[in-house]
């Protein structure tokens, strides 16, 4: 499942926690939310750091690729 893969990537970067639906219960959800709030700055800083590793300009590159492809069709 792509959603789980994306969540695992963010968790691997230290900017998220992954909760699997089959393991979820009210207590675990509350505990996890509490952990995130208690360590909010840590999660935020890791998310910002991770964002800087991502490629930029993807929409422009995709648009250029589409336009170039259309020229040859």
């Amino acid at each position: 499942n792509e959603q789980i893969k994306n969540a695992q990537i963010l968790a691997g970067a230290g900017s998220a926690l992954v909760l699997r639906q089959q393991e979820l219960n009210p207590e675990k959800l509350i505990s996890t939310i509490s952990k995130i709030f208690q360590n909010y700055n840590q999660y935020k800083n890791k998310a910002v750091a991770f964002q800087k590793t991502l490629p930029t300009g993807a929409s422009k590159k995709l648009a250029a690729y589409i336009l170039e492809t259309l020229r040859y069709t």
Side-chain angles (χ1 to χ4, degrees), residues 9-10 32 39 45 54 57 67 73:
I9 290 169
L10 293 173
T32 302
N39 300 292
N45 292 339
L54 299 174
L67 290 173
T73 57

Side-chain angles (χ1 to χ4, degrees), residues 51-63:
Q51 184 180 20
K52 291 178 182 178
T53 69
L54 299 174
T56 59
S59 58
K60 287 182 182 181
K61 291 175 185 175
L62 179 59

Side-chain angles (χ1 to χ4, degrees), residues 6-54:
N6 289 336
Q8 289 171 334
I9 290 169
L10 293 173
S15 61
L17 295 174
V18 178
L19 298 174
R20 296 193 179 273
Q21 188 172 356
Q22 62 268 24
E23 300 168 359
L24 190 59
N25 60 53
E27 294 80 19
K28 187 165 187 169
L29 179 60
I30 291 169
S31 171
T32 302
I33 292 170
S34 178
K35 181 178 179 179
I36 291 171
F37 276 126
Q38 289 172 2
N39 300 292
Y40 176 76
N41 285 331
Q42 175 186 336
Y43 284 96
K44 180 182 172 188
N45 292 339
K46 289 188 177 198
V48 169
F50 178 69
Q51 184 180 20
K52 291 178 182 178
T53 69
L54 299 174

